[in-house]
Amino acid sequence: MNTTKTSALTLGDPNYTTDHPFDLAIYPLPSEILLEEVFIEMRDGVRLAANVFRVEGAEPAPVIVTSTPYGKDNYDQWNYFRDAPIGNVPGGGGFYLGQVRISDRTAFEAPDPGYWVPRGYVVVLVDHPGMGRSQSNPAADPALEDRWHDIIDWLADQPWCSGSVGMSGVSALCATQWIAAKDPAPRALKAIIPWEDFNESGPGGGYGGIPETSFPHWLKSQWIAPNINPDGAGPERLFAWNFDTSKIGIPALICASFSDQELHTWDTFDAFTRIASKAKWLYGHRRQKWGAFYGKDELECQKGFLDRFLKGDDSAFQNKPAVRLEVNEDRFTHQVVTADNWPLPGTSYEALFLDAESGTLLTEQPSASVTKRVSALEAGNRDNSLTFDLKVESPTSLVGHMALRLFVETQDSNDADIFVGVEKIDVLGNKVYFFSSSGGNANGPATRGWLRLSKRKLKAERSTEWRPVLDMASSSPVVPGHVTEVNIPLMPSGTKFHPGETLRLVVQAWSIPGQWEGGETRQWDTIKKGSYRIHTGPEFPSRLLVPVISRNVGSRSQR
């Protein structure tokens, strides 16, 4: 990477109003599609309610199934994302969904029966045990895998099912797929389409150890609680966040985006790398998960995959690259890049050393040892952030994992929070924005990460220099006045820099709505006392490791 130094630049202000259109088009479910409610009996006698969408009298067809905690009959939940008071997003402002076109019987984040049934499939949506109209047995704490074995075995025996079952769905409707597909998978389950999900981390801040309190509360109060079956025994466990995707061996088309950094990005890329299936594909983008899931190109990709593995069409989904990604210049301009694996083969991990004296990133160690102080008490004060700039001299694409190594000394506390952002600044000094959270932020950085110092311990067996994996079960306070080395994993990302543009690293002890957050739903429970110093220089070589892709590949596209 050819680089030169540049001075600090003034950031532009986010423009949430113009960048959050609500673009939802709903069409009537075709009249030939039959909607039938059925009850599926489990081995313990519990009956789960499900909606079945099919063409009556048609030949048996493959089934696409998922379950929902949001109520299978709640077709208006898409409107929750409109501006307040129509929606229920805290603070209003709406969400950017992307361009979504669905039938009026499409439950939130579920496959659209209006698309799939006319193309030779049956769509089934099951209420999670204890939710919607489903019964439950929470006192027995039944195994999540057993529920799915019973559901899929029942489906395979129905006269309208061909005997082949697949799964598809977004977010929570994706998490169920990791459970159902775990070896030994149900005999009829032939393929899954997990579309952006958490696996090990779960919601609420996840892998960095800093609790995020707003989204879990919003999810529980607005989405889960209202849909508990009032006549049931209460909801069963939704998920077990420690399920292991390395125990999945069936074919999988996995969507992992660079644009859902606060919920799905880290874990879904991790799931692709760990899944045991020999037939696996990664579909990546940097847009909103809903617009992508229901997008024309994405639906064609999903259909080809399911035609091959559920219908046995050997001509379908041929010559598909194992990895398909979008490398962005800005929100809407990107290149499509394909590869045989993830991380991309041929990636060069290059170290950029922090120089606190000049506020720059250098390709060689700075000569002087310098420290800079960050306070936990002045949230929102830009002077209370450390910035390190690097001006790019030649076209450079950074695609993959970044990792930040810092040497940190707390002043008067045995713990502290570190928030990190990598931003792109154009040649005029303006901040370049990207989609970077679950829907509430069109004004995010290129990538980001966060860490509570007491959660710094790594899992040695899974960590690399470029992808440190945190041991979230550990907790080790630091000693004030003692310099501690920490390794902070940043979210996978793909960003192209042109000559004269600047890569900016930002380090701070706070995060507030309107900067990097999806401002409507993100509130971090940060440590609000004390301060710490970041050490740079030859004695304490703080550095940012970046994934450089030297070749220019793919085709340029705008959306």
Side-chain angles (χ1 to χ4, degrees):
M1 179 188 291
N2 296 320
T3 59
T4 58
K5 300 178 183 179
T6 183
S7 58
L9 301 169
T10 302
L11 299 180
D13 293 322
N15 48 341
Y16 284 92
T17 303
T18 58
D19 293 316
H20 286 65
F22 191 82
D23 196 352
L24 175 67
I26 296 178
Y27 65 92
L29 186 73
S31 59
E32 66 271 18
I33 297 178
L34 171 69
L35 167 55
E36 177 185 19
E37 184 179 56
V38 300
F39 289 87
I40 305 173
E41 188 165 342
M42 303 286 100
R43 65 189 66 184
D44 59 357
V46 165
R47 300 170 76 232
L48 302 185
N51 284 345
V52 178
F53 298 88
R54 60 187 177 90
V55 174
E56 190 169 14
E59 292 293 319
V63 171
I64 305 171
V65 63
T66 189
S67 74
T68 179
Y70 308 133
K72 63 180 177 59
D73 303 313
N74 289 341
Y75 303 116
D76 65 341
Q77 287 174 330
W78 297 97
N79 290 312
Y80 288 7
F81 294 98
R82 295 186 185 273
D83 289 345
I86 298 173
N88 65 11
V89 179
F95 267 33
Y96 185 84
L97 297 176
Q99 294 181 331
V100 176
R101 184 178 186 273
I102 52 176
S103 75
D104 59 4
R105 289 300 178 265
T106 304
F108 183 62
E109 298 185 328
D112 177 7
Y115 175 86
W116 288 105
V117 175
R119 289 164 175 80
Y121 288 88
V122 175
V123 173
V124 177
L125 182 62
V126 184
D127 273 332
H128 184 83
M131 306 298 294
R133 288 169 52 80
S134 282
Q135 297 175 348
S136 62
N137 187 13
D141 194 25
L144 301 171
E145 295 88 348
D146 291 346
R147 290 291 191 231
W148 273 109
H149 275 265
D150 292 350
I151 291 169
I152 292 175
D153 288 349
W154 184 91
L155 291 172
D157 290 338
Q158 300 311 299
W160 34 260
C161 177
S162 67
S164 293
V165 177
M167 300 185 72
S168 179
V170 181
S171 192
L173 282 65
C174 167
T176 59
Q177 299 177 58
W178 303 137
I179 300 165
K182 178 183 176 183
D183 287 341
R187 57 182 173 82
L189 184 59
K190 307 298 185 184
I192 56 175
I193 304 180
W195 203 271
E196 300 194 50
D197 184 39
F198 16 68
N199 51 8
E200 292 181 283
S201 295
Y207 83 105
I210 305 174
E212 197 286 309
T213 59
S214 181
F215 178 78
H217 172 75
W218 178 61
L219 189 67
K220 182 178 180 179
S221 64
Q222 300 294 326
W223 290 79
I224 304 297
N227 295 311
I228 295 174
N229 185 348
D231 301 319
E236 295 177 3
R237 285 180 302 148
L238 280 175
F239 314 114
W241 298 117
N242 60 349
F243 43 76
D244 186 355
T245 54
S246 68
K247 299 185 183 301
I248 295 175
I250 66 173
L253 172 61
I254 298 173
C255 177
S257 77
F258 296 143
S259 52
D260 210 338
Q261 296 174 354
E262 292 166 349
L263 276 182
H264 300 317
T265 298
W266 177 264
D267 275 333
T268 317
F269 275 100
D270 177 65
F272 176 79
T273 62
R274 299 181 70 201
I275 196 169
S277 174
K278 295 180 180 179
K280 63 177 182 179
W281 288 266
L282 176 65
Y283 189 99
H285 64 87
R286 185 145 202 180
R287 292 170 277 129
Q288 299 315 104
K289 54 179 172 273
W290 306 289
F293 183 64
Y294 298 102
K296 179 178 180 295
D297 293 343
E298 286 78 14
L299 285 172
E300 289 178 358
C301 179
Q302 296 170 46
K303 181 179 181 298
F305 174 76
L306 294 181
D307 283 354
R308 177 173 170 182
F309 291 104
L310 269 62
K311 292 185 175 182
D313 183 353
D314 292 336
S315 66
F317 212 70
Q318 293 296 322
N319 302 316
K320 292 288 185 180
V323 174
R324 182 262 189 210
L325 302 171
E326 294 175 6
V327 179
N328 281 62
E329 300 178 28
D330 52 41
R331 285 192 196 96
F332 297 107
T333 306
H334 66 262
Q335 289 180 314
V336 174
V337 175
T338 59
D340 296 330
N341 206 347
W342 170 266
L344 300 186
T347 302
S348 174
Y349 296 97
E350 299 186 8
L352 302 175
F353 295 96
L354 281 61
D355 182 3
E357 182 175 33
S358 61
T360 58
L361 294 168
L362 306 174
T363 55
E364 297 180 354
Q365 278 281 11
S367 57
S369 295
V370 179
T371 64
K372 290 287 185 178
R373 179 179 176 273
V374 176
S375 170
L377 303 177
E378 303 173 59
N381 180 0
R382 293 183 179 182
D383 292 333
N384 187 33
S385 293
L386 303 183
T387 60
F388 304 88
D389 284 356
L390 177 146
K391 183 177 286 186
V392 176
E393 290 185 342
S394 61
T396 303
S397 292
L398 304 182
V399 186
H401 293 265
M402 297 188 193
L404 179 63
R405 177 172 296 162
L406 293 178
F407 292 86
V408 183
E409 176 190 356
T410 61
Q411 300 297 106
D412 41 20
S413 174
N414 65 358
D415 209 350
D417 292 331
I418 303 175
F419 290 88
V420 177
V422 172
E423 301 176 337
K424 177 179 175 178
I425 311 298
D426 69 17
V427 295
L428 299 177
N430 300 309
K431 182 177 176 181
V432 179
Y433 295 119
F434 301 90
F435 294 114
S436 68
S437 69
S438 58
N441 190 11
N443 302 298
T447 188
R448 61 178 307 195
W450 52 92
L451 176 68
R452 179 155 287 178
L453 287 184
S454 58
K455 296 293 185 180
R456 67 191 179 279
K457 183 181 177 181
L458 302 180
K459 292 183 177 180
E461 71 279 5
R462 289 176 56 190
S463 293
T464 65
E465 284 285 301
W466 47 267
R467 187 180 180 276
V469 178
L470 299 168
D471 181 1
M472 297 305 299
S474 70
S475 184
S476 302
V478 297
V479 178
H482 175 76
V483 179
T484 301
E485 176 184 327
V486 297
N487 292 277
I488 304 174
L490 275 62
M491 293 294 174
S493 59
T495 310
K496 184 171 184 178
F497 290 82
H498 293 282
E501 294 180 330
T502 296
L503 181 155
R504 170 171 292 166
L505 172 68
V506 182
V507 180
Q508 57 195 39
W510 48 271
S511 190
I512 60 172
Q515 185 194 21
W516 296 327
E517 309 299 343
E520 298 87 346
T521 60
R522 301 293 167 190
Q523 295 289 339
W524 299 89
D525 185 14
T526 56
I527 295 172
K528 299 178 176 61
K529 63 178 182 179
S531 62
Y532 54 83
R533 296 195 299 169
I534 301 297
H535 291 251
T536 68
E539 184 180 1
F540 299 109
S542 294
R543 61 99 177 104
L544 176 68
L545 203 64
V546 296
V548 179
I549 304 299
S550 58
R551 63 191 185 278
N552 279 326
V553 293
S555 56
R556 195 167 185 265
S557 175
Q558 286 188 313
R559 293 207 177 192

